[in-house]
Amino acid sequence: MIPDYIVIWEWLSFAIRWTHVITAIAWIGSSFYFVALDLGLLKVPGLPKGAHGEEWQVHGGGFYHIQKYLVAPERMPEHLTWFKWESYMTWISGAALLMVTYWAGANLYLVDPAKMDLAIWQAILISGGSLAVGWLIYDTLCKSPLGERPTVLMLLLFVALVIMGWGYDQVFTGRAALLHLGAFTATIMTANVFLVIMPNQRIVVADLKAGRAPDPKYGKIAKLRSTHNNYLTLPVIFLMLSNHYPLAFASDYNWLIAALIFLMGVTIRHFFNTMHARKGDLWWTWAVTAILFVAIMWISSLGLNQDSYDEAQARPMTATETRFAQAAGFEDVADIVMGRCSMCHAREPVYEGIYHAPKGVFLETPKDVARYAKEIYVQAGLTDAMPPANVSFMEPEERSKVIRWFRGVGGTQVAAN
């Protein structure tokens, strides 16, 4: 039997996410490695002309002797390895995942009518447009005289990120707000590589091949952007993971949580950067990091941004939700889901050890069931992923009813609308 549309879509999403994680590991790994290498270089006697420093490393049963030239060596080597595709493919796969999850699922994951009642096309335009506009603003700041004042520039970048986090939360769902802030930051990072760092390196190589003395300014510019990428990496990872944790994205103060995460990224990277530069171990940075993390936990407890049971009952259903609610078998499915799943997926969970609905998904009203039709179909119909370990003893016949209901309304097509 040919898999239905939802099966194909789920595997496509999984494949893109897998690619995204793999390429992100490669990018972050190489980035952190070169930062540590650069900071740990030793200026020893006998270095070749133009060499800034060297380092000996051991790995995989062998020894590596690495030397760095601030501009370029006197002679260009025949083979030169460029580190760029890790960054490019991380952004490309991330953009594809954004489209598959948040653009295709805009009704559920992107648009929050309680904040701003946007048409799908409007939400997608804001989503994509904000990434491009954000880069233009950042790039303009870097090319301004502020580029000569890196500390002030970094503070302005932090302020801009906080403002963007707050702005996203005024427009999108909390889940989408933090994800987009991560995408916004990642776009800056990859654009730094694609539009600044790599072109500057190509200019240096071209000058060297032509027998011209390369201008050191290109290395200085690239270094500034690379430093920004170094301090932004850890917060981006947090923001990409945040969609799994409602205490982060569903908080009324998710933008403030994100702001403190950016500060944690600075304290953590400052410790390692200083250590790699052999300037000591700044243990106080871990104390600051711990204080920031405790503050984040406290802020997240001040209240989750979620509708009440009565508000959920009163809200109007979308056209897609209405089709599922009016389909044959819906009443049975609603009773099954609310009976088997609502003890955890509730605004006030009653299952022992569960204090917040997993991933912020509520399944305690018929409207909730209609809203999450596709997720119910995949998690509790096609598979037995939910309930976990079948703790509420969902029967095979009940799963069959979920499948018949979803497919009976043309769910494999409707869910994408």
Side-chain angles (χ1 to χ4, degrees), residues 115 159-172 177-178 181 252-256 258-259:
K115 294 180 179 178
V159 171
L161 290 169
V162 174
I163 292 173
M164 286 302 301
W166 178 85
Y168 277 132
D169 191 49
Q170 306 309 302
V171 178
F172 297 142
L178 290 195
L181 183 58
D252 285 326
Y253 304 100
N254 56 21
W255 60 273
L256 183 54

Side-chain angles (χ1 to χ4, degrees), residues 292-303:
L292 290 171
F293 193 66
V294 170
I296 287 171
M297 289 191 288
W298 174 71
I299 291 170
S300 71
S301 69
L302 296 181

Side-chain angles (χ1 to χ4, degrees), residues 9-132:
W9 195 258
E10 286 293 305
W11 276 109
L12 175 63
S13 176
F14 193 176
I16 295 173
R17 190 179 299 274
W18 189 24
T19 302
H20 187 54
V21 171
I22 292 171
T23 55
I25 290 172
W27 184 19
I28 294 167
S30 63
S31 175
F32 281 5
Y33 169 75
F34 278 106
V35 168
L37 173 63
D38 188 60
L39 292 171
L41 290 170
L42 294 174
K43 296 181 179 180
V44 297
L47 286 174
K49 182 180 178 180
H52 173 67
E54 70 172 17
E55 185 169 355
W56 284 85
Q57 299 182 354
V58 59
H59 179 74
F63 293 88
Y64 296 81
H65 183 205
I66 304 165
Q67 296 176 335
K68 177 182 178 179
Y69 294 79
L70 286 180
V71 181
E74 290 184 315
R75 184 183 63 83
M76 178 60 61
E78 293 182 4
H79 176 72
L80 187 63
T81 301
W82 297 78
F83 290 85
K84 55 182 179 178
W85 288 109
E86 301 93 334
S87 173
Y88 300 166
M89 289 308 302
T90 299
W91 189 88
I92 291 171
S93 58
L97 197 57
L98 175 69
M99 296 174 190
V100 167
T101 304
Y102 287 88
W103 290 9
N107 275 321
L108 184 60
Y109 296 123
L110 186 59
V111 177
D112 185 347
K115 294 180 179 178
M116 190 171 291
D117 194 8
L118 298 169
I120 299 301
W121 69 267
Q122 292 174 320
I124 293 174
L125 184 62
I126 294 173
S127 171
S130 65
L131 304 184

